[in-house]
Amino acid sequence: EDFEAPSGEEPPSDVWGVGTGTPGYWKNHPEAWPAAGVTVGGILYKGPTITNAIKLMGKVGGDKTVSMFAALISAKLNTTLANNTACILQTIEKADLWMTAHPVGSGVKASSPSWAEADAWHTLLDDYNNGKLCAPHRS
């Protein structure tokens, strides 16, 4: 049966929250990181180690683990805010397992079978961080 909103009310939107930030936002706002820290690939980034995470987020190059790290840690940070996560939680879980198997800096090439498996997750994480999925972008 179809969902009908009570008279005079709009049905709830699937896109809600305070807004997501891209890796660029999180790199430039370390004060916005949660005190409890964020774990990526089994490594906790908290307190002074946030600086290490921020340095990794700024690197560009042929190592796709760095690309995945930046997108994944940003998505995880975005989930600590009051954002809708229904569209991205499974992708975060898969990407996090991938990061455990392929630690940041381990040299995964774009042409590798490992990246072929993870590329679609990276795209979804990027879309989420840019406000294109179930949470809006920060304004």
Side-chain angles (χ1 to χ4, degrees), residues 7-82:
S7 61
E9 288 183 34
E10 290 292 314
S13 168
D14 289 338
V15 177
W16 53 266
V18 297
T20 59
T22 61
Y25 170 82
W26 290 109
K27 275 186 351 191
N28 292 308
H29 293 87
E31 75 286 353
W33 291 47
V38 181
T39 302
V40 173
I43 298 170
L44 175 63
Y45 296 91
K46 175 182 177 179
T49 62
I50 287 173
T51 306
N52 299 343
I54 289 171
K55 285 178 186 169
L56 287 169
M57 292 168 78
K59 291 190 174 197
V60 234
D63 185 351
K64 299 312 282 181
T65 63
V66 176
S67 306
M68 180 64 88
F69 177 83
L72 179 57
I73 200 165
S74 298
K76 284 188 164 205
L77 287 163
N78 287 322
T79 67
T80 67
L81 305 174

Side-chain angles (χ1 to χ4, degrees), residues 87-139:
C87 64
I88 202 67
L89 282 179
Q90 284 186 326
T91 302
I92 287 174
E93 289 172 17
K94 291 174 185 173
D96 203 36
L97 286 170
W98 188 87
M99 287 297 305
T100 302
H102 306 89
V104 67
S106 60
V108 173
K109 301 276 184 236
S111 58
S112 71
S114 297
W115 186 246
E117 172 191 30
D119 190 19
W121 304 330
H122 177 264
T123 300
L124 286 171
L125 292 169
D126 189 56
D127 285 349
Y128 180 73
N129 294 335
N130 279 287
K132 295 178 182 175
L133 299 179
C134 60
H137 194 263
R138 296 182 76 84
S139 51

